Amino acid sequence: MLATSGMRKGEANALRWEDIDWNRGAFTVTGGEGGTKNHEARIVPLFPALEAFLRRKRAEYGDTPPAPESVIVPVKDAKKALETVCQHNGYPHFTHHCLRHFFVSNAIEKNVDFKTIAAWVGHKDGGVLVAKTYGHLRDTHSFEMAKRM
C-alpha cells in the first residue's frame, strides 16, 4: 500500500475503510489519533494501482464487507521482514520510507508536477522538498528524456 499511495507508514497504519470514497475515487489521509506529520488531513485521488490493491483487500472479506472503522492493513510494521529479505538476497538496506520514495520517483518520471506530488504526499511547500529530495531520476529515465532533446 505504501508504494501505491505515497503515504508515510503511520498514515497507512491509520487508514480505515471509511477513509475510502469509492464514488469520488479518493481517500482521506488523517493519520489517525497521531494525525499526519503536518497535522492536516488531506484528500488524495485513488491511484489505479492503489485502487486495485484496495479492491483485492476488500474482496478478501467475501460477502461480508469490512467494518468501516477497521484498518485496511493490520500489519503495523514490516521492518524485520524487509531486513530479512534484503539480507537473504544481498539487497541494499530497504525501509518503509523507500516505498514512499518509490511512489514519488515514479510520479516524477510520469511527469506529474512537483506541486501536485507535494499535495498528494502531504508536503506544504508547493513542491520544493519533492524537487530537492526526490528530484533525482533513474538513469533510464534520464536517457529517455535526453532523446527528446
Side-chain angles (χ1 to χ4, degrees), residues 39-54:
H39 308 290
E40 292 182 17
R42 64 186 182 276
I43 297 173
V44 183
L46 271 178
F47 308 106
L50 175 60
E51 183 175 358
F53 169 80
L54 292 171

Side-chain angles (χ1 to χ4, degrees), residues 66-141:
E69 68 279 0
S70 63
V71 294
I72 294 173
V73 178
V75 176
K76 294 292 182 195
D77 192 310
K79 182 178 180 179
K80 187 64 179 165
L82 289 171
E83 287 175 3
T84 301
V85 166
C86 290
Q87 287 173 354
H88 280 84
N89 293 290
Y91 297 150
H93 182 66
F94 193 84
T95 66
H96 295 99
H97 194 73
C98 292
L99 296 167
R100 180 174 166 90
H101 186 93
F102 173 80
F103 173 86
V104 173
S105 295
N106 281 327
I108 290 169
E109 289 182 2
K110 289 177 176 27
N111 294 317
V112 178
D113 63 270
F114 291 162
K115 185 175 180 179
T116 299
I117 297 168
W120 289 346
V121 298
H123 293 178
K124 302 298 284 179
D125 63 2
V128 174
L129 186 60
V130 169
K132 281 176 59 176
T133 306
Y134 301 98
H136 66 283
L137 302 173
R138 298 179 194 142
D139 284 344
T140 53
H141 180 71

Side-chain angles (χ1 to χ4, degrees), residues 17-18 20-23 46 50-68 70-73:
W17 288 107
E18 63 194 358
I20 309 302
D21 185 341
W22 298 102
N23 295 325
L46 271 178
L50 175 60
E51 183 175 358
F53 169 80
L54 292 171
R55 289 192 184 282
R56 284 192 309 272
K57 289 295 291 177
R58 192 171 66 170
E60 291 174 7
Y61 289 87
D63 294 335
T64 307
S70 63
V71 294
I72 294 173
V73 178

